[in-house]
Amino acid sequence: MSTPETAPAPLRLGTRGSALATTQSGLVARRLEELLGRPVELVRIRTEGDVKTGSLASLGGTGVFVTALREALLDGRCDVAVHSLKDLPTAQPADLTIVTPEREDPRDALCGRDGLTLDTLPRGARVGTGSPRRAAQVQAARPDVELVDIRGNVETRLARALGPDADLDAVVLALAGLSRLGRTEVVTQALDPAVVAPAPGQGALAVEARTADLAPGSPLAEAFAALDHRPTRLAVLAERAVLARLEAGCAAPVGAHSRVEAGELQLTAVVARVDGTEQLTHSASAVLAPHDAVAQDDAATALGVRVAEALLADGAARLAPLVGGTGEPRTGEDDDVAPRSDVEPLHTPTGTDDPEGA
């Protein structure tokens, strides 16, 4: 008599416990189940950012929503972890590997009472965000509104503008998070990246595993290869290279937006003064070598460094708390700044600028 085959053990997927985090992780879990043919269970991990209150800068910023998940991976409490990519420090540990599924819309969204948009907000309107980047750029576009620092999860923030006890006229959130939660009906305006540049990596997820578990040909390695979306990978490589070269943390108003179009990678980055009174923008592009993944990755990283170097040469370090430059004025044409391979980052910057899962 034949005996039934033993069901495969579930893959344990580590996630923060917020509604947004578990929704995002659930999307990845279902895709991994399809790719691996085995069940995936969510393992909720509490991070420092979930436990403590206060601004991200006061919590230390870098890794505040990531460290506990990575520790759970490394000590075997989970097999895979899902992060919002913008939460990750730009320096990737060698013993952990990430892939990037296809990105959601990276733009920020204004959620205003009575259908208000950035242009129609009344003078003196109160706009809530916990992100220095969002605050600086909204203030630059509308110097006459008041920016209010807020924390909390998506529903807590929306209630500040749209709830029965609302004390704000609008809040600014990531469009991707609202989309994943099925709450896009609250969006009164998707903000043009030319007006409010998103955080580097915004809208993208990072799926992470122990490098040792991704041996070539292994089921998990093949699933990770299928999860990775190359246009997303290239865009976020460029954006995060800007962040790494600027050595900007969560307190620095830095935005970046990259996309692949017609065989080129296009990138625009912004550094703003915290009060929104001044900002610098630089754009550049790079041709992508067809059918050469390594060359494409290198081109994306070099593009990000080149744009960051241009911003630093134009004086970005004078505007924002950056470590990576002196702010000496740049001369010459827009794209005449070569990547600085001799410069090593002093810190591990993060794109975290107020995760709505907090």
Side-chain angles (χ1 to χ4, degrees), residues 1-351:
M1 184 174 71
S2 63
T3 57
E5 292 185 10
T6 303
L11 184 81
R12 299 163 301 163
L13 188 151
T15 178
R16 292 176 57 213
S18 72
L20 179 55
T22 54
T23 297
Q24 293 176 161
S25 296
L27 295 171
V28 174
R30 287 190 288 277
R31 181 64 179 136
L32 283 172
E33 285 179 338
E34 295 171 359
L35 292 168
L36 293 168
R38 61 185 285 199
V40 176
E41 65 179 19
L42 298 187
V43 178
R44 287 166 176 79
I45 306 292
R46 292 195 80 188
T47 72
E48 183 182 5
D50 298 315
V51 175
K52 295 183 178 180
T53 59
S55 71
L56 290 176
S58 70
L59 298 183
T62 302
V64 71
F65 292 98
V66 172
T67 302
L69 276 169
R70 285 182 158 173
E71 288 174 350
L73 257 182
L74 292 171
D75 68 19
R77 282 177 286 146
C78 60
D79 307 302
V80 172
V82 175
H83 312 277
S84 289
L85 182 64
K86 71 176 184 176
D87 295 353
L88 290 183
T90 53
Q92 179 66 26
D95 50 359
L96 295 172
T97 296
I98 65 168
V99 291
T100 51
E102 186 170 1
R103 186 184 207 171
E104 273 278 3
D105 192 323
R107 291 178 295 175
D108 284 310
L110 188 80
C111 304
R113 63 170 177 81
D114 305 323
L116 288 171
T117 66
L118 194 58
D119 288 338
T120 62
L121 285 167
R123 181 179 294 274
R126 289 162 49 85
V127 180
T129 175
S131 159
R133 172 191 58 82
R134 290 171 180 152
Q137 293 182 92
V138 169
Q139 197 79 81
R142 286 293 309 269
D144 58 322
V145 304
E146 177 187 354
L147 274 296
V148 179
D149 186 57
I150 61 173
R151 281 286 305 272
N153 61 33
V154 169
E155 293 303 329
T156 298
R157 296 176 193 225
L158 288 174
R160 296 286 300 272
L162 307 179
D165 299 317
D167 63 330
L168 303 175
D169 296 286
V171 293
V172 185
L173 303 173
L175 182 54
L178 293 168
S179 179
R180 290 183 179 120
L181 288 170
R183 295 289 270 124
T184 54
E185 83 284 354
V186 300
V187 176
T188 53
Q189 183 183 14
L191 297 172
D192 188 331
V195 178
V196 179
Q202 184 161 302
L205 300 179
V207 186
E208 191 167 47
R210 295 178 290 271
T211 303
D213 293 345
L214 297 172
S218 68
L220 190 58
E222 292 181 358
F224 263 46
L227 273 178
D228 206 36
H229 183 250
R230 177 137 291 272
T232 296
R233 175 185 176 84
L234 294 172
V236 301
L237 272 174
E239 292 169 9
R240 286 164 61 76
V242 171
L243 199 64
R245 177 62 191 96
L246 293 177
E247 299 183 58
C250 63
V254 174
H257 181 232
S258 182
R259 66 189 185 278
V260 176
E261 193 166 298
E264 282 192 348
L265 185 62
Q266 302 173 355
L267 171 64
T268 297
V270 176
V271 177
R273 194 181 288 278
V274 173
D275 62 7
T277 56
E278 190 178 354
Q279 59 185 28
L280 294 171
T281 302
H282 187 77
S283 299
S285 62
V287 176
L288 297 171
H291 316 301
D292 189 335
V294 173
Q296 290 178 356
D297 286 358
D298 290 345
T301 300
L303 176 63
V305 172
R306 177 157 53 101
V307 167
E309 289 281 346
L311 288 166
L312 288 170
D314 279 341
R318 176 178 55 83
L319 303 186
L322 308 176
V323 179
T326 63
E328 290 299 318
R330 179 170 60 88
T331 59
E333 296 301 318
D334 280 351
D335 294 330
D336 66 353
V337 181
R340 288 279 302 283
S341 60
D342 60 315
V343 176
E344 290 295 331
L346 302 177
H347 302 286
T348 52
T350 171

